[in-house]
Amino acid sequence: MRKCRYAATVRSRSPSGPPRALPPTDGGEPDPRAPEPRGADLRGSELRGVESRGAEPRGADAHGPDPRRLRADDLRYLLAVARTGRLVTAADALGVDHTTVSRRITALERSLGARLMERDTEGWALTDAGKAVTESARAIEEALVRAVDAVSGQDAPSLHGTVRVSAPDGFGTVFATSALARVRRCHPRLQVELITATRPLTLRPAGFDLALAIGRPPKSRLVTEHLTDYALGLYADDGYLARCGPPGTVAELREHPLIFYIESMLQVGDLDIERHLPGVTPAFSSTNVFAQLEATRLGAGVGVLPAFLAERAGLRRLLADEVDIRLPITLAVRREAVTHPAVRAVRDALHHEVADRAAELLPVGELSG
């Protein structure tokens, strides 16, 4: 067998060695749309009058809130923050400044005489009173949509507003994009936004309506379900195999440069290479799966890649019987957004997409090198 002049680094995991660097607690990247102010407590700067802990928001008298003092339009702002958990994201969806969102929610709280939202470690969360109000607000919102459809002559209810989806780079591009395009064809007035990054749900559970993540998430206030499984394997380009020859065993992988994620920056434990190929360190690493794919295609080494990317790139599968990694994709929805019609439509489209293309996710009968 021809062998490349390469010796992979075998890691030593002694207890005395330096600890692995932990990812930043904020997810390692700024807000995808517009960062919220730093160095100041948003509870004081954005919801003035709401966050005073001495008393509930004033406005309601001893007989309770007066419905005549309520502005129904303020409920839209509450719903938008409830769905995303972030003021800036809600403001983007509504086409206003985030200070307008806080002002309208403050006005609603004063009219009702109750605090509707509180800040926690995961963003903005509804209080018990806020949950009760949003249930009624959704009915009002859906009634308004039906009224618009009736006037415009729509035979079937159409979807409006914005739905934001977070997904891993590869799966989001290849599968979520197709599902979202399907939804848009049926509902042209619906805006969809796709954020791609390979990260766990626990790092940023706010800022989206639906999220797709690799692995099974820990317990949280998100509503989660298993969407699909997908396969990863060892792949190489024919040119590389002609120069270096294929590894005959897993042990021989140490004589080939491996291509995978940067270990110190990896935020998804299920992708830890040590779990699947103990003792082998990648020689070419990237935080982006498409960079890994391109490096493999250019003959830089043997890539550990999703089958749905490697197969369409025409790469050769290696050691298919010995290395066959299966990982789950979890679909998560913020609890406040579960019943929203647009969110349900996107969820259904994602399920249809993975069902129709199951052979790409878990291919059988692959040609092995």
Side-chain angles (χ1 to χ4, degrees):
M1 182 186 88
R2 297 180 301 282
K3 299 181 180 178
C4 283
R5 295 181 179 178
Y6 174 82
T9 303
V10 179
R11 291 177 292 178
S12 174
R13 291 191 172 254
S14 62
S16 60
R20 180 184 300 179
L22 295 177
T25 56
D26 62 355
E29 57 187 53
D31 185 286
R33 296 300 299 273
E36 295 180 351
R38 293 183 180 180
D41 187 355
L42 292 179
R43 301 176 78 167
S45 63
E46 294 187 353
L47 292 184
R48 294 183 178 90
V50 178
E51 303 305 334
S52 173
R53 305 304 298 178
E56 292 295 316
R58 292 175 295 176
D61 56 27
H63 301 289
D66 184 351
R68 293 172 298 180
R69 298 179 57 187
L70 298 179
R71 296 176 57 182
D73 192 51
D74 289 343
L75 296 172
R76 292 194 306 121
Y77 294 83
L78 177 65
L79 283 172
V81 179
R83 286 174 185 143
T84 65
R86 297 181 67 84
L87 291 177
V88 171
T89 307
D92 287 344
L94 294 168
V96 298
D97 187 83
H98 74 271
T99 57
T100 300
V101 177
S102 8
R103 185 172 61 253
R104 299 295 290 270
I105 293 178
T106 299
L108 181 61
E109 290 182 311
R110 287 174 176 166
S111 297
L112 292 171
R115 185 175 290 109
L116 304 178
M117 305 198 76
E118 291 183 333
R119 181 107 189 212
D120 63 14
T121 57
E122 298 180 345
W124 291 96
L126 292 171
T127 63
D128 289 341
K131 293 175 183 177
V133 172
T134 54
E135 287 301 317
S136 299
R138 289 191 187 97
I140 295 173
E141 181 183 53
E142 292 171 6
L144 291 173
V145 171
R146 289 194 298 271
V148 171
D149 290 338
V151 172
S152 60
Q154 293 278 345
D155 294 332
S158 61
L159 301 180
H160 307 258
T162 302
V163 175
R164 175 173 286 185
V165 178
S166 173
D169 295 312
F171 188 88
T173 301
V174 177
F175 291 92
T177 296
S178 181
L180 293 174
R182 179 186 304 190
V183 174
R184 282 275 301 127
R185 285 193 295 270
C186 297
H187 304 282
R189 285 191 284 178
L190 180 68
Q191 294 181 320
V192 296
E193 298 175 346
L194 177 61
I195 303 168
T196 57
T198 302
R199 61 191 181 197
L201 291 171
T202 53
L203 289 183
R204 190 179 290 272
F208 59 79
D209 295 299
L210 297 94
L212 302 170
I214 299 170
R216 294 178 176 84
K219 293 181 179 179
S220 72
R221 71 168 181 237
L222 298 170
V223 178
T224 62
E225 63 178 318
H226 176 261
L227 178 64
T228 187
D229 292 322
Y230 76 103
L232 297 92
L234 299 174
Y235 289 89
D237 175 70
D238 285 336
Y240 174 84
L241 295 174
R243 295 194 316 272
C244 301
T249 65
V250 173
E252 289 183 8
L253 277 176
R254 300 180 185 184
E255 301 167 2
H256 294 262
L258 198 70
I259 301 170
F260 200 52
Y261 286 95
I262 301 175
E263 179 189 5
S264 62
M265 301 181 68
L266 187 61
Q267 299 175 355
V268 180
D270 292 72
L271 290 173
D272 186 353
I273 195 65
E274 185 70 15
R275 295 187 183 186
H276 311 293
L277 297 171
V280 180
T281 298
F284 186 107
S285 305
S286 174
T287 58
N288 189 289
V289 71
F290 289 104
Q292 300 167 28
L293 177 67
E294 185 67 3
T296 306
R297 193 186 66 81
L298 293 174
V302 176
V304 183
L305 295 166
F308 63 79
L309 290 178
E311 296 291 321
R312 61 167 51 193
L315 298 175
R316 180 80 55 166
R317 180 76 183 266
L318 307 173
L319 302 174
D321 293 333
E322 292 86 349
V323 181
D324 184 22
I325 304 168
R326 304 294 175 96
L327 295 178
I329 294 288
T330 296
L331 187 154
V333 181
R334 290 179 57 82
R335 195 171 300 277
E336 296 83 1
V338 169
T339 60
H340 191 268
V343 172
R344 291 202 303 265
V346 172
R347 173 191 172 276
D348 291 344
L350 288 167
H351 276 282
H352 284 303
E353 193 69 27
V354 298
D356 292 344
R357 301 169 63 186
E360 295 178 54
L361 292 159
L362 297 171
V364 294
E366 297 158 313
L367 186 59
S368 178

